[in-house]
Amino acid sequence: MLKLPPWATQEEHYQPNRDRDYFISRSLLRVLTVLLTLRQQCAAGSRSVSAPCALCFLFFWLLCCAAAHTAAFLLCQLALTLVVLCLLPGHMLWQALQTAFAAALFTLLLILPALWLGSGPLVLLLPAKTFLSVTALASLRAFLPGNDITAALRAFHVPQTVIFLLDTTLRYIILLGEIASDMLTALKLRSVGSNPHKQQAIGGILGTLLLRSQKMSADMYEAMTCRCFTGEYLPARRMAFCRGDTLLILILFGYLYLFLRLEVIL
């Protein structure tokens, strides 16, 4: 009967040196957050409002918000914004408010010199307009998936190159994000002991993602050629009228009346 050598029977107590993997953890968390947001956007989609009608309302909303010069109309827009935010789930509500408040705070920092030089109180309306605009975009993203938005752009005669870039970018961000998430997880699991050259590891991940993206781009081009896709997006034969479009049109006319009453007449 063979016996194991003494060194093979001794118990090892390996204690790796402490190392901080904060950068890898934050990178992985950020990638997973972006992926979760995009997947929620793709899975969103109650079809209560059609995408063309929602885009028309958003364009009108942003135009009135940019042209408003009184706080009364902005307060009316804020009232509808709060109602829409109440319809969002908790995590989407937190993301929308976090982004909107950050954009409003950045705008406030930008206008502080103009306020200091005496440009008038109308400058203070810019952070409020930024908050309303960013919240409106976040609400549209929460209620409509990305493919409905890109499909609706063709109805407004947007150039097909722009639609193609938006569509492929949304798809490949998810695919490349999944690859980056797997690679960051593997790097974190293999980082045993002290590793003072973390920037080289992250650089290797970015280089691998670049090569993967080139290969995926070539594969997509070959697949499009085999399927005889010429880059032309055909518009839908007819636009389905959803049940919420009537309410959205009524709200649009209501805000048009408020804009004329508060901004033009006064």
Side-chain angles (χ1 to χ4, degrees):
M1 183 177 180
L2 297 177
K3 293 183 179 181
L4 295 175
W7 61 268
T9 58
Q10 294 178 358
E11 185 177 358
E12 295 184 357
H13 297 280
Y14 174 68
Q15 296 292 336
N17 297 327
R18 291 188 176 182
D19 192 18
R20 298 183 62 184
D21 55 354
Y22 179 77
F23 182 73
I24 299 176
S25 300
R26 290 291 297 175
S27 301
L28 180 60
L29 181 62
R30 186 59 181 170
V31 170
L32 292 178
T33 303
V34 173
L35 284 178
L36 180 62
T37 303
L38 291 175
R39 288 191 178 278
Q40 289 171 352
Q41 179 185 358
C42 294
S46 65
R47 297 297 188 270
S48 57
V49 178
S50 62
C53 187
L55 288 179
C56 288
F57 183 81
L58 178 66
F59 178 75
F60 170 78
W61 178 275
L62 296 178
L63 184 62
C64 291
C65 184
H69 59 275
T70 60
F73 182 75
L74 294 181
L75 289 176
C76 296
Q77 286 189 319
L78 180 61
L80 182 61
T81 300
L82 295 178
V83 173
V84 175
L85 289 178
C86 292
L87 302 176
L88 296 179
H91 56 280
M92 290 187 178
L93 175 62
W94 169 246
Q95 291 176 0
L97 289 179
Q98 188 178 11
T99 306
F101 278 119
L105 180 60
F106 182 72
T107 307
L108 181 61
L109 293 177
L110 289 179
I111 67 171
L112 282 180
L115 186 63
W116 179 264
L117 295 176
S119 298
L122 291 179
V123 183
L124 294 176
L125 297 179
L126 291 178
K129 293 181 178 182
T130 304
F131 176 81
L132 293 173
S133 302
V134 175
T135 307
L137 292 174
S139 302
L140 179 70
R141 186 186 64 181
F143 284 106
L144 290 178
N147 55 348
D148 283 0
I149 296 176
T150 53
L153 291 177
R154 189 66 185 95
F156 296 100
H157 301 284
V158 176
Q160 299 178 5
T161 305
V162 177
I163 301 177
F164 177 75
L165 289 176
L166 289 175
D167 195 14
T168 53
T169 301
L170 289 175
R171 295 175 186 272
Y172 275 91
I173 283 178
I174 297 178
L175 294 177
L176 292 176
E178 291 177 350
I179 296 174
S181 175
D182 295 338
M183 294 178 66
L184 285 171
T185 303
L187 176 62
K188 185 176 177 63
L189 294 176
R190 288 180 174 88
S191 295
V192 179
S194 179
N195 180 18
H197 304 290
K198 291 184 175 62
Q199 65 276 9
Q200 296 180 1
I202 299 298
I205 291 178
L206 294 178
T208 305
L209 284 178
L210 178 61
L211 296 177
R212 287 287 187 92
S213 63
Q214 291 179 349
K215 185 178 182 302
M216 292 168 67
S217 176
D219 294 340
M220 184 185 68
Y221 175 77
E222 294 175 358
M224 290 168 58
T225 303
C226 294
R227 291 174 173 83
C228 299
F229 180 71
T230 59
E232 181 180 0
Y233 286 83
L234 298 177
R237 295 182 179 179
R238 64 182 185 88
M239 294 295 177
F241 193 80
C242 299
R243 56 186 178 182
D245 293 344
T246 304
L247 178 61
L248 205 60
I249 292 174
L250 292 177
I251 295 175
L252 188 146
F253 281 109
Y255 271 94
L256 179 60
Y257 171 76
L258 288 175
F259 182 80
L260 294 176
R261 185 71 176 85
L262 298 175
E263 299 290 335
V264 179
I265 298 179
L266 293 180

